[in-house]
């Protein structure tokens, strides 16, 4: 079967043709996240003939994923999502190149990775990672195709496209947190629709046709089929360069020691240990350890005297980004026995549920 047979129905579109198909074959797209959004985005990019697709996710498939992450089979539970996604895409279209990257995105691996691709797609449900993706896209001058879900409502936009507005222009408050699918709940249709809208933005950018959601955010509600489009502008005060990026991510990540949530469970009733929650007070899930204390990161410097620098302290935030900043701050004030809990409150809450531990 030749290329024209595979792509005939889209090649005959005047907006695509042979030249458009050639653009598809030369395009390189990185999708960060192989969950619900990724499971909807990836098949359409592969089927369209996008020449090289990277899939980045360090998670494994769980039975609770299958109602919305529809490219995975029940027999694949426990396997890495990126490996199973690659198998599926290769079966769908063996003519393209698929890169499975079973890693978590960090400041020290993101820039080199992003530079290898033309378009970056945010298919995550983690606010801190969205800011990281945005900042790396600014550094590497790549467009970021954004998608997010909250229950029955989703959002889609394209940031940093042709020097347009960025994620920070729309959402300047990095300390704002929202519930992920695990905590808020989600129906598969929501991620399916929003993921396909994201894939549509990728396709328009590759083909250089249509109107890209640049400086616009599309809000879609599946319960009433209503959608609105809002304009937003570039904020000149948002400045991200390599120096500020390294100070925020790379240096902190290299200096801060992390510990896995499962490694600290035995310490939750140890009075000689302190669990320090640096999230804002309104963030959930609530985790109230008997030997815990909550000091939001923004207040940590002014309230640092409330802490004992000789005590063993495990710091956590929502997902593990702000806790690293907190650890670095405490280290500068001569705190020695201090570690950041990898994955933060989300990882702790998941583990507590699995082990059926009440706190």
């Amino acid at each position: 079967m030749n290329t024209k047979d595979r792509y005939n129905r889209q090649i005959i579109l005047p907006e695509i043709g042979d030249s458009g198909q050639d653009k598809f074959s030369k395009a390189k797209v990185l999708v960060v996240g192989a969950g619900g959004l990724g499971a909807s985005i990836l098949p359409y990019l592969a089927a369209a003939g996008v020449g090289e697709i990277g899939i980045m996710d360090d998670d494994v498939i769980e039975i609770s994923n299958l109602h919305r992450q529809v490219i995975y089979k029940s027999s694949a539970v426990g396997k890495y999502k990126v490996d199973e996604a690659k198998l599926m895409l290769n079966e769908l279209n063996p003519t393209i190149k698929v890169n499975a990257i079973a890693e978590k995105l960090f400041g020290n691996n993101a820039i080199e990775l992003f530079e290898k691709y033309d378009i970056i797609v945010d298919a995550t449900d983690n606010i801190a990672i969205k800011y990281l993706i945005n900042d790396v896209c600014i550094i590497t001058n790549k467009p970021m195709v954004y998608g997010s879900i909250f229950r029955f409502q989703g959002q889609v936009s394209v940031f940093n496209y042709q020097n347009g507005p960025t994620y920070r222009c729309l959402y300047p408050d990095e300390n704002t947190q929202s519930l992920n699918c695990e905590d808020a709940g989600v129906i598969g249709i929501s991620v399916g629709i929003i993921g396909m809208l994201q894939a549509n933005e990728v396709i328009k950018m590759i083909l250089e046709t249509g109107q890209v959601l640049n400086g616009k955010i599309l809000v879609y509600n599946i319960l009433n089929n209503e959608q609105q489009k809002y304009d937003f502008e570039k904020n000149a005060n948002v400045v991200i360069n390599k120096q500020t990026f390294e100070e925020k991510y790379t240096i902190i990540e290299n200096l801060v020691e992390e510990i896995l949530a499962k490694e600290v469970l035995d310490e939750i009733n140890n009075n000689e240990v302190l669990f320090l929650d640096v999230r804002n007070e309104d963030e959930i899930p609530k985790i109230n350890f008997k030997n815990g204390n909550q000091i939001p990161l923004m207040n940590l410097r002014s309230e640092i005297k409330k802490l004992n620098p000789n005590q063993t302290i495990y710091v956590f935030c929502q997902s593990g980004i702000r806790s690293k900043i907190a650890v670095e701050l405490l280290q500068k004030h001569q705190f020695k026995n201090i570690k950041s809990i990898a994955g933060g409150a989300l990882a702790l809450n998941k583990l507590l549920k699995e082990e059926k531990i009440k706190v």
Side-chain angles (χ1 to χ4, degrees):
M1 181 181 292
N2 61 36
T3 300
K4 287 211 169 186
D5 290 332
R6 178 178 290 275
Y7 304 118
N8 174 263
R9 296 300 188 274
Q10 62 189 36
I11 288 177
I12 62 177
L13 289 168
E15 293 82 359
I16 298 181
D18 291 327
S19 62
Q21 196 59 51
D22 187 54
K23 290 178 181 178
F24 278 137
S25 68
K26 293 177 180 177
K28 298 179 179 181
V29 179
L30 175 65
V31 179
V32 183
L37 291 172
S40 178
I41 297 163
L42 289 166
Y44 284 95
L45 297 184
V50 172
E52 184 171 346
I53 300 174
I55 316 168
M56 188 175 199
D57 198 309
D58 67 335
D59 207 0
V60 297
I61 300 166
E62 299 179 8
I63 191 70
S64 61
N65 299 151
L66 300 181
H67 87 286
R68 66 192 184 282
Q69 299 175 22
V70 294
I71 62 174
Y72 305 123
K73 301 176 181 178
S74 296
S75 58
V77 169
K79 297 180 181 179
Y80 278 103
K81 292 181 180 179
V82 292
D83 292 337
E84 292 301 301
K86 179 178 179 177
L87 285 173
M88 185 271 181
L89 297 190
N90 283 337
E91 289 182 2
L92 177 63
N93 189 349
T95 71
I96 66 171
K97 181 180 180 181
V98 182
N99 305 316
I101 309 161
E103 301 175 24
K104 187 172 183 178
L105 189 70
F106 288 110
N108 57 16
N109 66 5
I111 292 178
E112 183 180 358
L113 177 63
F114 281 26
E115 286 177 340
K116 298 176 181 178
Y117 295 88
D118 307 315
I119 299 170
I120 312 300
V121 184
D122 161 42
T124 71
D125 63 353
N126 183 302
I127 299 295
I129 296 297
K130 291 181 185 293
Y131 280 102
L132 173 57
I133 293 171
N134 172 81
D135 295 351
V136 183
C137 283
I138 294 173
I139 295 292
T140 57
N141 194 27
K142 309 289 182 180
M144 168 186 174
V145 182
Y146 160 79
S148 71
I149 300 291
F150 183 74
R151 293 178 177 153
F152 296 98
Q153 181 175 282
Q155 299 181 350
V156 183
S157 187
V158 177
F159 302 117
N160 203 44
Y161 179 66
Q162 298 179 344
N163 199 35
T166 72
Y167 182 66
R168 289 185 181 274
C169 298
L170 183 62
Y171 297 116
D173 184 6
E174 192 169 348
N175 290 320
T176 298
Q177 295 288 332
S178 64
L179 295 175
N180 64 3
C181 295
E182 180 180 342
D183 298 310
V186 66
I187 190 168
I189 293 294
S190 297
V191 292
I193 292 172
I194 298 303
M196 282 191 283
L197 288 172
Q198 287 181 270
N200 185 45
E201 294 304 304
V202 174
I203 286 171
K204 286 188 290 183
M205 282 188 282
I206 293 172
L207 295 175
E208 300 174 284
T209 190
Q211 296 182 345
V212 175
L213 286 171
N214 177 30
K216 301 179 185 294
I217 185 163
L218 175 68
V219 181
Y220 188 90
N221 187 313
I222 72 165
L223 291 183
N224 54 23
N225 286 325
E226 288 186 355
Q227 63 179 32
Q228 293 85 32
K229 215 162 37 172
Y230 302 99
D231 294 335
F232 62 97
E233 297 181 350
K234 190 176 179 68
N235 183 349
N237 296 321
V238 175
V239 178
I240 301 291
N241 54 44
K242 282 195 173 181
Q243 181 180 346
T244 58
F245 181 87
E246 288 180 358
E247 289 174 355
K248 181 174 179 58
Y249 298 104
T250 312
I251 294 174
I252 291 173
E253 288 170 3
N254 290 338
L255 292 177
V256 172
E257 185 177 355
E258 280 193 304
I259 190 167
L260 297 175
K262 64 182 179 182
E263 295 177 8
V264 299
L265 276 191
D266 292 339
E267 305 281 3
I268 60 177
N269 290 312
N270 182 352
N271 291 328
E272 296 181 1
V273 169
L274 175 69
F275 285 84
L276 178 62
D277 184 351
V278 295
R279 298 177 298 164
N280 298 331
E281 293 180 358
D282 60 343
E283 292 184 49
I284 55 177
K286 297 292 184 183
I287 299 180
N288 299 313
F289 292 130
K290 294 177 181 177
N291 53 340
N293 191 6
Q294 184 169 29
I295 303 177
L297 179 60
M298 66 181 72
N299 302 334
L300 186 56
R301 189 183 299 274
S302 61
E303 298 183 22
I304 203 166
K305 291 184 179 180
K306 293 181 179 180
L307 304 174
N308 179 359
N310 298 314
Q311 189 174 24
T312 296
I313 302 177
Y314 298 124
V315 186
F316 66 94
C317 59
Q318 191 74 350
S319 61
I321 302 295
R322 282 173 289 167
S323 59
K324 292 180 181 179
I325 299 173
V327 168
E328 187 199 26
L329 173 62
L330 294 172
Q331 286 175 335
K332 288 179 179 178
H333 287 78
Q334 308 308 311
F335 284 73
K336 303 295 184 184
N337 303 316
I338 183 164
K339 296 179 182 179
S340 170
I341 299 178
L346 298 177
L348 283 169
N349 188 57
K350 181 178 179 181
L351 200 57
L352 291 168
K353 287 181 179 178
E354 290 174 352
E355 300 293 331
K356 298 181 179 180
I357 297 173
K358 293 184 179 181
V359 295

